[in-house]
Amino acid sequence: MQGIYAGFLRKEKSGITDLELRTCKFLTGNLKVRPDLEEFLLAANAITNFRDSPLAAFVEASVSNRSYGTKIEEYRKRAKKRASQVEAVRNRILEFLARTCFEFDRPKAIEIFGEFVESIASAGYPVFSTNYDFALEHVAVTREIRVENNFEQHGRGQGQRWLWNDSINFPTGGALTLIKLHGSVTWYRDDTGVIENIQFDTNKNFAGRDVSRLIVFPTRFKDIYDQHFFALYSHFLSVLADAKVLIIAGHSLRDEYLRAGIIERFRTGGLQIIVIDPEFPKALPAELKPARLGETGPIVHIPYPFEDIRDELTHLVRNSEPSAIPRLFSEIVQSIKLKSNKLAIRGDIRKLKAGEPKKFLARVEAQILPKDKPAILRCWIQSARRVRPVTSSDFLEGGNFVVERGESGMIRSDIPIEIIVPKKRQWAVQGDVLLKVGLVKASVKRPARLNQESTIALDERVFSYSSD
């Protein structure tokens, strides 16, 4: 929300006018409103709706004892002008928000959410979101995964439409079940009340009628009680009542009604909460504090961005019972916290002779982050001298152990390695070489191109070398 507001203030991104910029600075400067989209809209709505509130009469009575007069007329004129400017900026911000949601980075969405969406769909777990964009739906469509979002297909061909189901139906299993509690930029309602899902920016639906977007902006809490939004919230409470594990990813929980529902469910017992976010939500009360980092408790905090932990979440959702996920996540956090990436060469190697096969083990204990994937176990030889060492021109093993994107990065195993010792005159002259085994980024194709950034874990041992 802070990023979208900051983007609106940039003329090259939003086309903001000088007057609109001055109005924004008036709110954040003179009125001390935080430069955050939610906080800004809260203040803008309060100002826009001020004339209809009891506070208006109170302020006028504070300005002057007379109902009419020079002071009141001047006050009303200035207040009306300011409120009109704020209302215009609010509407422009909402337009910018909707446009931003349509312009999300589609390739990045697929990279971040692709495997996650597949695992969630196959496991049959529902996803509740307050986001307005349709990134998850886009990912599901590209992966040929059905989306269950309470819209039903009507008609065929060019006359096909996706209309809202008043009965509220969110089946799970074999589909991405997505409940968008605040609506979406793709949801539109016409003047007859028909709600339609349209995957592009428009002012008219497929029936040719004028439409408006159907979304609950962050501060318009009264809209939650609109019939269909309240039905979505009721569905959330119903699912939460039966849930054993709730995973909250990247959400501040500033929405009071959501926070209240979660707190009440937690108090009834039998619910474990996992919070994935660099910062634990400040909105939660003191009684809802997480266990110590790396330990399991009723609330587990995973202090990393979703992007850094998505592969682990994907793996756990796909392969673990829900009751085991908090404990397994705690182990992952403990591993990352200790930064205990280790690799050790194991085996009775003794010496290296050119042309001979060698078999040994690499004992790996590592936690590989998504930014380092795909990662591969590699072996190479380097002369033992420190100045300008001679290194294998190619990696020696077949590279059979690979950790791909979407796979768990937690490795705790002994991995067999088999090589053929290469022949190099320089090594034979010196007599001693370093046998190196490393868990490295797969993008590095030759040993000479490895550096500290591309090496995740490494071990080396000195052996005598001969070419006879």
Side-chain angles (χ1 to χ4, degrees), residues 17-209:
T17 66
D18 292 340
L19 176 59
E20 291 167 343
L21 187 58
R22 287 197 299 272
T23 302
C24 290
K25 290 183 176 180
F26 173 75
L27 264 71
T28 56
N30 296 51
L31 304 187
K32 308 302 180 185
V33 177
R34 288 215 316 264
D36 174 294
L37 188 68
E38 291 186 359
E39 297 295 329
F40 189 92
L41 289 175
L42 176 63
N45 287 345
I47 292 170
T48 302
N49 299 325
F50 177 72
R51 288 298 309 163
D52 299 325
S53 72
L55 282 176
F58 173 79
V59 171
E60 288 190 5
S62 301
V63 172
S64 174
N65 293 328
R66 299 182 179 182
S67 300
Y68 296 96
T70 303
K71 283 188 176 181
I72 291 297
E73 287 181 4
E74 182 180 348
Y75 158 74
R76 286 177 177 173
K77 183 178 179 180
R78 292 184 64 188
K80 182 179 180 180
K81 180 181 177 181
R82 290 282 194 186
S84 297
Q85 291 171 349
V86 170
E87 183 177 17
V89 170
R90 182 195 66 179
N91 292 339
R92 286 269 286 122
I93 285 180
L94 297 182
E95 292 174 4
F96 178 71
L97 172 63
R99 190 166 70 250
T100 301
C101 288
F102 270 105
E103 294 172 351
F104 66 88
D105 188 331
R106 284 158 173 73
K108 186 175 182 180
I110 294 171
E111 176 189 344
I112 293 175
F113 295 115
E115 298 295 329
F116 169 72
V117 167
E118 284 194 1
S119 68
I120 285 288
S122 62
Y125 299 138
V127 176
F128 293 86
S129 176
T130 57
N131 289 350
Y132 310 127
D133 63 67
F134 53 101
L136 292 181
E137 297 98 307
H138 173 74
V139 170
V141 170
T142 59
R143 294 288 181 112
E144 298 183 342
I145 297 171
R146 190 176 76 258
V147 178
E148 293 291 353
N149 57 4
N150 201 53
F151 284 87
E152 295 181 337
Q153 181 180 345
H154 292 256
R156 295 183 178 276
Q158 292 184 343
Q160 175 180 299
R161 302 172 69 185
W162 291 90
L163 304 182
W164 183 258
N165 176 12
D166 289 329
S167 299
I168 306 295
N169 182 32
F170 288 101
T172 57
L176 171 64
T177 301
L178 181 62
I179 302 94
K180 304 185 81 168
L181 295 167
H182 284 183
S184 173
V185 291
T186 65
W187 295 12
Y188 295 87
R189 178 163 55 189
D190 67 19
D191 53 7
T192 67
V194 172
I195 300 172
E196 188 167 356
N197 193 340
I198 305 173
Q199 297 288 314
F200 53 85
D201 195 3
T202 183
N203 294 318
K204 292 184 180 295
N205 63 15
F206 287 109
R209 305 189 71 93

Side-chain angles (χ1 to χ4, degrees), residues 354-369:
E356 284 189 348
K358 288 291 180 181
K359 295 181 180 181
F360 54 93
L361 296 175
R363 179 167 296 172
V364 180
E365 297 181 14
Q367 178 65 49
I368 309 169
L369 295 177

